[in-house]
Short mmCIF file of all heavy atoms in Angstrom, two decimals:
data_model
loop_
_atom_site.label_atom_id
_atom_site.label_comp_id
_atom_site.label_asym_id
_atom_site.label_seq_id
_atom_site.Cartn_x
_atom_site.Cartn_y
_atom_site.Cartn_z
N MET A 285 0.81 -1.16 -0.02
CA MET A 285 -0.01 -0.01 0.00
C MET A 285 0.92 1.22 -0.01
O MET A 285 1.81 1.36 0.86
CB MET A 285 -0.91 0.06 1.28
CG MET A 285 -2.15 -0.80 1.12
SD MET A 285 -3.50 -0.23 2.17
CE MET A 285 -2.84 -0.57 3.82
N ASN A 286 0.55 2.15 -0.90
CA ASN A 286 1.37 3.45 -0.87
C ASN A 286 0.56 4.48 -0.05
O ASN A 286 -0.47 4.17 0.60
CB ASN A 286 1.53 3.90 -2.32
CG ASN A 286 0.25 4.20 -3.05
OD1 ASN A 286 -0.87 4.18 -2.41
ND2 ASN A 286 0.26 4.42 -4.27
N LYS A 287 1.19 5.63 0.08
CA LYS A 287 0.54 6.66 0.92
C LYS A 287 -0.83 7.11 0.49
O LYS A 287 -1.66 7.31 1.30
CB LYS A 287 1.49 7.97 0.87
CG LYS A 287 2.81 7.66 1.43
CD LYS A 287 3.77 8.92 1.37
CE LYS A 287 4.32 8.94 -0.08
NZ LYS A 287 5.32 9.92 -0.27
N ASN A 288 -1.07 7.15 -0.73
CA ASN A 288 -2.46 7.53 -1.22
C ASN A 288 -3.50 6.57 -0.83
O ASN A 288 -4.62 6.81 -0.47
CB ASN A 288 -2.50 7.79 -2.69
CG ASN A 288 -1.75 9.05 -3.04
OD1 ASN A 288 -1.64 9.95 -2.30
ND2 ASN A 288 -1.22 9.09 -4.26
N THR A 289 -3.14 5.29 -0.93
CA THR A 289 -4.13 4.17 -0.53
C THR A 289 -4.35 4.28 0.99
O THR A 289 -5.50 4.13 1.38
CB THR A 289 -3.55 2.83 -0.86
OG1 THR A 289 -3.12 2.87 -2.31
CG2 THR A 289 -4.51 1.79 -0.64
N VAL A 290 -3.33 4.56 1.73
CA VAL A 290 -3.60 4.67 3.19
C VAL A 290 -4.51 5.83 3.54
O VAL A 290 -5.38 5.73 4.36
CB VAL A 290 -2.21 4.73 3.97
CG1 VAL A 290 -2.36 5.16 5.47
CG2 VAL A 290 -1.38 3.57 3.79
N LEU A 291 -4.29 6.95 2.87
CA LEU A 291 -5.09 8.17 3.05
C LEU A 291 -6.46 7.88 2.58
O LEU A 291 -7.56 8.31 3.21
CB LEU A 291 -4.46 9.30 2.40
CG LEU A 291 -3.33 10.05 3.04
CD1 LEU A 291 -2.71 11.14 2.12
CD2 LEU A 291 -3.71 10.60 4.39
N ALA A 292 -6.70 7.13 1.54
CA ALA A 292 -8.01 6.87 1.08
C ALA A 292 -8.79 5.91 2.17
O ALA A 292 -9.93 6.15 2.43
CB ALA A 292 -7.97 6.16 -0.26
N TRP A 293 -8.02 4.98 2.66
CA TRP A 293 -8.67 4.02 3.68
C TRP A 293 -9.04 4.83 4.94
O TRP A 293 -10.15 4.70 5.48
CB TRP A 293 -7.77 2.86 3.98
CG TRP A 293 -7.95 1.79 3.06
CD1 TRP A 293 -7.06 1.42 2.01
CD2 TRP A 293 -8.92 0.74 3.09
NE1 TRP A 293 -7.56 0.31 1.42
CE2 TRP A 293 -8.68 -0.10 2.08
CE3 TRP A 293 -10.02 0.56 3.81
CZ2 TRP A 293 -9.57 -1.16 1.78
CZ3 TRP A 293 -10.95 -0.49 3.51
CH2 TRP A 293 -10.65 -1.38 2.56
N ALA A 294 -8.08 5.71 5.28
CA ALA A 294 -8.33 6.51 6.54
C ALA A 294 -9.54 7.47 6.31
O ALA A 294 -10.27 7.68 7.22
CB ALA A 294 -7.07 7.34 6.82
N THR A 295 -9.68 7.95 5.12
CA THR A 295 -10.83 8.81 4.85
C THR A 295 -12.10 8.12 4.98
O THR A 295 -13.12 8.57 5.61
CB THR A 295 -10.69 9.43 3.36
OG1 THR A 295 -9.47 10.22 3.28
CG2 THR A 295 -11.84 10.27 3.02
N TRP A 296 -12.25 6.88 4.38
CA TRP A 296 -13.46 6.18 4.46
C TRP A 296 -13.70 5.65 5.79
O TRP A 296 -14.86 5.68 6.33
CB TRP A 296 -13.40 4.90 3.56
CG TRP A 296 -13.62 5.25 2.09
CD1 TRP A 296 -12.70 5.34 1.08
CD2 TRP A 296 -14.83 5.67 1.49
NE1 TRP A 296 -13.30 5.78 -0.04
CE2 TRP A 296 -14.58 6.04 0.20
CE3 TRP A 296 -16.09 5.94 2.10
CZ2 TRP A 296 -15.59 6.54 -0.60
CZ3 TRP A 296 -17.10 6.47 1.20
CH2 TRP A 296 -16.91 6.69 -0.11
N ILE A 297 -12.71 5.22 6.55
CA ILE A 297 -12.86 4.95 8.01
C ILE A 297 -13.42 6.09 8.83
O ILE A 297 -14.36 5.95 9.66
CB ILE A 297 -11.72 4.34 8.60
CG1 ILE A 297 -11.35 2.99 7.99
CG2 ILE A 297 -11.76 4.19 10.19
CD1 ILE A 297 -9.99 2.41 8.25
N MET A 298 -12.87 7.33 8.63
CA MET A 298 -13.32 8.45 9.37
C MET A 298 -14.75 8.83 9.03
O MET A 298 -15.52 9.31 9.84
CB MET A 298 -12.32 9.59 9.07
CG MET A 298 -10.95 9.44 9.67
SD MET A 298 -10.83 9.43 11.43
CE MET A 298 -10.84 11.13 11.67
N ILE A 299 -15.14 8.64 7.75
CA ILE A 299 -16.43 8.91 7.23
C ILE A 299 -17.50 8.16 8.05
O ILE A 299 -18.53 8.44 8.57
CB ILE A 299 -16.63 8.89 5.76
CG1 ILE A 299 -15.93 10.09 5.14
CG2 ILE A 299 -18.08 8.82 5.44
CD1 ILE A 299 -15.77 10.04 3.69
N PHE A 300 -17.15 6.72 8.03
CA PHE A 300 -18.01 5.79 8.72
C PHE A 300 -18.18 5.97 10.16
O PHE A 300 -19.21 5.94 10.71
CB PHE A 300 -17.66 4.30 8.41
CG PHE A 300 -17.80 3.88 6.99
CD1 PHE A 300 -16.83 3.26 6.27
CD2 PHE A 300 -19.03 4.23 6.30
CE1 PHE A 300 -17.06 2.91 5.02
CE2 PHE A 300 -19.19 3.84 4.96
CZ PHE A 300 -18.27 3.17 4.29
N VAL A 301 -17.03 6.25 10.85
CA VAL A 301 -17.05 6.54 12.26
C VAL A 301 -17.82 7.91 12.55
O VAL A 301 -18.57 7.93 13.48
CB VAL A 301 -15.63 6.64 12.81
CG1 VAL A 301 -15.59 7.12 14.28
CG2 VAL A 301 -14.94 5.23 12.76
N GLY A 302 -17.67 8.90 11.72
CA GLY A 302 -18.40 10.14 11.86
C GLY A 302 -19.90 9.87 11.68
O GLY A 302 -20.65 10.50 12.50
N MET A 303 -20.29 9.19 10.74
CA MET A 303 -21.71 8.90 10.59
C MET A 303 -22.28 8.05 11.71
O MET A 303 -23.37 8.37 12.21
CB MET A 303 -21.96 8.02 9.26
CG MET A 303 -21.75 9.02 8.10
SD MET A 303 -22.09 8.13 6.42
CE MET A 303 -22.38 6.45 6.73
N GLY A 304 -21.48 7.16 12.32
CA GLY A 304 -21.87 6.39 13.42
C GLY A 304 -22.07 7.31 14.65
O GLY A 304 -23.02 7.18 15.45
N MET A 305 -21.13 8.25 14.80
CA MET A 305 -21.13 9.15 15.95
C MET A 305 -22.40 10.08 15.90
O MET A 305 -23.18 10.30 16.84
CB MET A 305 -19.96 9.97 16.10
CG MET A 305 -18.71 9.22 16.40
SD MET A 305 -18.75 8.53 18.10
CE MET A 305 -18.09 9.86 18.94
N ILE A 306 -22.66 10.48 14.66
CA ILE A 306 -23.86 11.36 14.43
C ILE A 306 -25.16 10.65 14.64
O ILE A 306 -26.11 11.20 15.29
CB ILE A 306 -23.80 12.01 13.09
CG1 ILE A 306 -22.66 13.09 13.03
CG2 ILE A 306 -25.13 12.75 12.74
CD1 ILE A 306 -22.37 13.70 11.67
N ALA A 307 -25.16 9.32 14.22
CA ALA A 307 -26.32 8.55 14.41
C ALA A 307 -26.52 8.24 15.94
O ALA A 307 -27.66 8.28 16.38
CB ALA A 307 -26.20 7.23 13.70
N LEU A 308 -25.50 7.99 16.75
CA LEU A 308 -25.62 7.80 18.16
C LEU A 308 -26.18 9.09 18.74
O LEU A 308 -27.11 9.02 19.60
CB LEU A 308 -24.22 7.54 18.75
CG LEU A 308 -23.77 6.11 18.80
CD1 LEU A 308 -22.39 6.03 19.31
CD2 LEU A 308 -24.70 5.28 19.54
N GLY A 309 -25.66 10.24 18.36
CA GLY A 309 -26.17 11.54 18.93
C GLY A 309 -27.51 11.85 18.62
O GLY A 309 -28.39 12.28 19.36
N ALA A 310 -28.04 11.34 17.37
CA ALA A 310 -29.41 11.68 16.87
C ALA A 310 -30.37 10.65 17.47
O ALA A 310 -31.57 11.00 17.83
CB ALA A 310 -29.44 11.59 15.38
N PHE A 311 -30.13 9.40 17.54
CA PHE A 311 -31.12 8.45 17.88
C PHE A 311 -30.96 7.76 19.22
O PHE A 311 -32.00 7.28 19.79
CB PHE A 311 -30.95 7.25 16.82
CG PHE A 311 -31.22 7.72 15.46
CD1 PHE A 311 -30.25 7.61 14.45
CD2 PHE A 311 -32.49 8.30 15.06
CE1 PHE A 311 -30.52 8.11 13.13
CE2 PHE A 311 -32.67 8.81 13.79
CZ PHE A 311 -31.71 8.62 12.89
N LYS A 312 -29.80 7.73 19.81
CA LYS A 312 -29.63 7.01 21.13
C LYS A 312 -29.74 8.10 22.26
O LYS A 312 -30.42 7.72 23.27
CB LYS A 312 -28.31 6.19 21.22
CG LYS A 312 -28.14 5.54 22.52
CD LYS A 312 -27.18 4.48 22.40
CE LYS A 312 -26.79 3.80 23.69
NZ LYS A 312 -28.00 3.36 24.46
N TYR A 313 -29.03 9.11 22.15
CA TYR A 313 -28.90 10.07 23.32
C TYR A 313 -29.81 11.24 23.07
O TYR A 313 -29.64 12.01 22.13
CB TYR A 313 -27.42 10.51 23.55
CG TYR A 313 -26.64 9.34 23.95
CD1 TYR A 313 -25.70 8.81 22.99
CD2 TYR A 313 -26.68 8.82 25.22
CE1 TYR A 313 -24.83 7.81 23.38
CE2 TYR A 313 -25.81 7.76 25.56
CZ TYR A 313 -24.99 7.22 24.57
OH TYR A 313 -24.18 6.15 25.05
N ASP A 314 -30.85 11.47 23.95
CA ASP A 314 -31.77 12.55 23.82
C ASP A 314 -31.34 13.84 24.62
O ASP A 314 -31.93 14.85 24.53
CB ASP A 314 -33.16 12.20 24.21
CG ASP A 314 -33.73 11.07 23.24
OD1 ASP A 314 -33.29 11.06 22.05
OD2 ASP A 314 -34.58 10.27 23.65
N GLU A 315 -30.33 13.60 25.54
CA GLU A 315 -29.98 14.81 26.38
C GLU A 315 -28.87 15.55 25.73
O GLU A 315 -28.61 15.50 24.46
CB GLU A 315 -29.59 14.23 27.73
CG GLU A 315 -30.74 13.51 28.46
CD GLU A 315 -30.45 12.14 28.79
OE1 GLU A 315 -29.33 11.64 28.63
OE2 GLU A 315 -31.37 11.35 29.15
N VAL A 316 -28.12 16.22 26.54
CA VAL A 316 -26.96 17.07 26.13
C VAL A 316 -25.86 16.27 25.48
O VAL A 316 -25.14 16.68 24.63
CB VAL A 316 -26.44 17.94 27.30
CG1 VAL A 316 -25.33 18.82 26.90
CG2 VAL A 316 -27.60 18.71 27.85
N ALA A 317 -25.71 15.03 25.88
CA ALA A 317 -24.68 14.18 25.34
C ALA A 317 -24.86 13.94 23.82
O ALA A 317 -23.92 13.75 23.07
CB ALA A 317 -24.75 12.78 26.05
N GLY A 318 -26.08 13.96 23.36
CA GLY A 318 -26.36 13.93 21.93
C GLY A 318 -25.74 14.96 21.08
O GLY A 318 -25.14 14.70 20.03
N TYR A 319 -25.72 16.24 21.68
CA TYR A 319 -25.10 17.36 20.98
C TYR A 319 -23.55 17.04 20.89
O TYR A 319 -22.84 17.38 19.94
CB TYR A 319 -25.37 18.64 21.70
CG TYR A 319 -26.76 19.01 21.61
CD1 TYR A 319 -27.47 19.22 22.84
CD2 TYR A 319 -27.39 19.20 20.47
CE1 TYR A 319 -28.80 19.52 22.85
CE2 TYR A 319 -28.75 19.53 20.41
CZ TYR A 319 -29.46 19.73 21.63
OH TYR A 319 -30.74 20.04 21.61
N GLY A 320 -22.93 16.50 21.91
CA GLY A 320 -21.52 16.19 21.96
C GLY A 320 -21.16 15.18 20.95
O GLY A 320 -20.19 15.27 20.21
N PHE A 321 -22.01 14.08 20.87
CA PHE A 321 -21.71 13.06 19.81
C PHE A 321 -21.82 13.60 18.41
O PHE A 321 -21.05 13.23 17.57
CB PHE A 321 -22.66 11.88 20.00
CG PHE A 321 -22.22 10.87 21.05
CD1 PHE A 321 -22.72 10.87 22.32
CD2 PHE A 321 -21.39 9.92 20.70
CE1 PHE A 321 -22.33 9.97 23.28
CE2 PHE A 321 -20.95 8.84 21.57
CZ PHE A 321 -21.42 8.96 22.87
N GLY A 322 -22.82 14.51 18.25
CA GLY A 322 -23.02 15.08 16.89
C GLY A 322 -21.78 15.94 16.60
O GLY A 322 -21.34 15.94 15.42
N ALA A 323 -21.31 16.72 17.53
CA ALA A 323 -20.24 17.61 17.26
C ALA A 323 -18.97 16.77 16.95
O ALA A 323 -18.18 17.17 16.08
CB ALA A 323 -19.95 18.47 18.52
N VAL A 324 -18.73 15.69 17.71
CA VAL A 324 -17.60 14.96 17.32
C VAL A 324 -17.73 14.25 16.06
O VAL A 324 -16.74 14.10 15.30
CB VAL A 324 -17.40 13.86 18.52
CG1 VAL A 324 -16.37 12.76 18.19
CG2 VAL A 324 -17.00 14.47 19.83
N GLY A 325 -18.90 13.95 15.62
CA GLY A 325 -19.08 13.27 14.32
C GLY A 325 -18.76 14.29 13.26
O GLY A 325 -18.15 13.88 12.29
N VAL A 326 -19.22 15.50 13.44
CA VAL A 326 -18.83 16.58 12.42
C VAL A 326 -17.35 16.75 12.43
O VAL A 326 -16.75 16.96 11.39
CB VAL A 326 -19.51 17.87 12.75
CG1 VAL A 326 -19.00 18.99 11.92
CG2 VAL A 326 -21.00 17.67 12.54
N GLY A 327 -16.67 16.65 13.52
CA GLY A 327 -15.14 16.70 13.60
C GLY A 327 -14.53 15.59 12.80
O GLY A 327 -13.49 15.87 12.12
N PHE A 328 -15.06 14.48 12.93
CA PHE A 328 -14.51 13.37 12.10
C PHE A 328 -14.73 13.53 10.70
O PHE A 328 -13.78 13.26 9.86
CB PHE A 328 -15.25 12.03 12.45
CG PHE A 328 -14.63 11.28 13.63
CD1 PHE A 328 -14.95 11.55 14.95
CD2 PHE A 328 -13.74 10.24 13.37
CE1 PHE A 328 -14.44 10.84 15.90
CE2 PHE A 328 -13.13 9.60 14.39
CZ PHE A 328 -13.47 9.86 15.68
N PHE A 329 -15.81 14.28 10.22
CA PHE A 329 -15.95 14.53 8.86
C PHE A 329 -14.92 15.56 8.40
O PHE A 329 -14.46 15.54 7.30
CB PHE A 329 -17.42 15.12 8.53
CG PHE A 329 -18.41 14.13 8.37
CD1 PHE A 329 -19.77 14.39 8.69
CD2 PHE A 329 -18.27 12.78 7.99
CE1 PHE A 329 -20.71 13.43 8.60
CE2 PHE A 329 -19.17 11.89 7.98
CZ PHE A 329 -20.41 12.16 8.18
N ALA A 330 -14.65 16.47 9.26
CA ALA A 330 -13.70 17.63 8.91
C ALA A 330 -12.23 16.94 8.74
O ALA A 330 -11.55 17.26 7.77
CB ALA A 330 -13.62 18.71 10.00
N ILE A 331 -11.85 16.00 9.53
CA ILE A 331 -10.58 15.40 9.47
C ILE A 331 -10.55 14.48 8.25
O ILE A 331 -9.58 14.40 7.56
CB ILE A 331 -10.34 14.50 10.75
CG1 ILE A 331 -10.18 15.51 11.95
CG2 ILE A 331 -9.01 13.70 10.62
CD1 ILE A 331 -10.17 14.78 13.36
N ALA A 332 -11.62 13.82 7.91
CA ALA A 332 -11.73 13.01 6.73
C ALA A 332 -11.62 13.84 5.46
O ALA A 332 -10.91 13.49 4.44
CB ALA A 332 -13.06 12.30 6.73
N TRP A 333 -12.07 15.08 5.46
CA TRP A 333 -11.96 16.00 4.43
C TRP A 333 -10.48 16.40 4.16
O TRP A 333 -10.07 16.52 3.11
CB TRP A 333 -12.82 17.28 4.62
CG TRP A 333 -12.81 18.30 3.64
CD1 TRP A 333 -12.65 18.13 2.27
CD2 TRP A 333 -13.09 19.73 3.87
NE1 TRP A 333 -12.77 19.41 1.65
CE2 TRP A 333 -13.01 20.32 2.59
CE3 TRP A 333 -13.40 20.50 4.92
CZ2 TRP A 333 -13.16 21.72 2.36
CZ3 TRP A 333 -13.60 21.80 4.76
CH2 TRP A 333 -13.50 22.41 3.59
N VAL A 334 -9.80 16.66 5.28
CA VAL A 334 -8.37 16.97 5.28
C VAL A 334 -7.61 15.82 4.59
O VAL A 334 -6.74 15.95 3.79
CB VAL A 334 -7.82 17.39 6.63
CG1 VAL A 334 -6.34 17.52 6.64
CG2 VAL A 334 -8.45 18.76 7.01
N PHE A 335 -7.93 14.60 5.15
CA PHE A 335 -7.25 13.40 4.60
C PHE A 335 -7.45 13.29 3.12
O PHE A 335 -6.50 12.97 2.27
CB PHE A 335 -7.69 12.14 5.27
CG PHE A 335 -7.09 11.95 6.67
CD1 PHE A 335 -7.64 10.93 7.51
CD2 PHE A 335 -6.02 12.62 7.07
CE1 PHE A 335 -7.11 10.77 8.69
CE2 PHE A 335 -5.51 12.47 8.38
CZ PHE A 335 -6.08 11.54 9.20
N ASN A 336 -8.67 13.55 2.69
CA ASN A 336 -8.98 13.43 1.22
C ASN A 336 -8.28 14.53 0.38
O ASN A 336 -7.80 14.30 -0.63
CB ASN A 336 -10.49 13.60 0.98
CG ASN A 336 -10.94 13.30 -0.40
OD1 ASN A 336 -10.24 12.40 -1.09
ND2 ASN A 336 -11.99 13.92 -0.87
N ALA A 337 -8.05 15.69 1.05
CA ALA A 337 -7.40 16.82 0.37
C ALA A 337 -5.88 16.48 0.25
O ALA A 337 -5.19 17.05 -0.66
CB ALA A 337 -7.56 18.10 1.07
N LEU A 338 -5.37 15.74 1.15
CA LEU A 338 -3.88 15.38 1.19
C LEU A 338 -3.60 14.30 0.15
O LEU A 338 -2.34 14.21 -0.17
CB LEU A 338 -3.51 14.91 2.56
CG LEU A 338 -3.40 16.05 3.55
CD1 LEU A 338 -3.02 15.39 4.95
CD2 LEU A 338 -2.26 17.10 3.27
N LYS A 339 -4.55 13.60 -0.32
CA LYS A 339 -4.18 12.52 -1.30
C LYS A 339 -3.57 13.18 -2.55
O LYS A 339 -4.05 14.13 -3.12
CB LYS A 339 -5.43 11.80 -1.78
CG LYS A 339 -5.91 10.80 -0.72
CD LYS A 339 -6.92 9.83 -1.28
CE LYS A 339 -8.15 10.52 -1.95
NZ LYS A 339 -9.26 9.64 -2.27
N GLY A 340 -2.36 12.64 -2.99
CA GLY A 340 -1.70 13.06 -4.11
C GLY A 340 -0.82 14.13 -3.83
O GLY A 340 -0.01 14.58 -4.64
N ARG A 341 -0.84 14.79 -2.60
CA ARG A 341 0.12 15.87 -2.30
C ARG A 341 1.17 15.45 -1.34
O ARG A 341 2.21 16.20 -1.21
CB ARG A 341 -0.68 17.00 -1.62
CG ARG A 341 -1.81 17.58 -2.55
CD ARG A 341 -2.35 18.77 -1.92
NE ARG A 341 -3.63 19.17 -2.57
CZ ARG A 341 -3.74 19.83 -3.74
NH1 ARG A 341 -2.67 20.11 -4.46
NH2 ARG A 341 -4.93 20.13 -4.21
N VAL A 342 1.07 14.30 -0.70
CA VAL A 342 2.08 13.90 0.29
C VAL A 342 3.07 13.10 -0.30
O VAL A 342 2.80 12.29 -1.22
CB VAL A 342 1.34 13.15 1.45
CG1 VAL A 342 2.40 12.58 2.45
CG2 VAL A 342 0.37 14.04 2.12
#
C-alpha cells in the first residue's frame, strides 16, 4: 500500500465513524450528550476532508 491508498482508507474509516457518532447522537442520546456526539461526528468529517485533500500531495 502506498501513501495515497492509506489516506483513502483513513478517509473512508473516518467517514463511517463520523456517521456512526452522528447517528448515536441523533437516535440514542436525547440529552445534552447527543449534541456532543454530533459535534464529534462533524469533527470526524472535517478530518476526513483533510485526509482526502492530502491525497496526491504527500
Side-chain angles (χ1 to χ4, degrees):
M285 275 204 297
N286 59 9
K287 293 178 279 191
N288 288 333
T289 307
V290 171
L291 284 172
W293 276 101
T295 300
W296 282 110
I297 290 169
M298 295 292 278
I299 288 172
F300 289 135
V301 171
M303 288 182 356
M305 296 292 278
I306 291 173
L308 277 174
F311 299 120
K312 182 165 175 50
Y313 297 105
D314 294 331
E315 295 122 12
V316 178
Y319 296 121
F321 274 97
V324 170
V326 170
F328 271 88
F329 281 157
I331 295 170
W333 182 27
V334 170
F335 283 166
N336 192 28
L338 285 175
K339 282 192 309 190
R341 300 187 194 283
V342 178

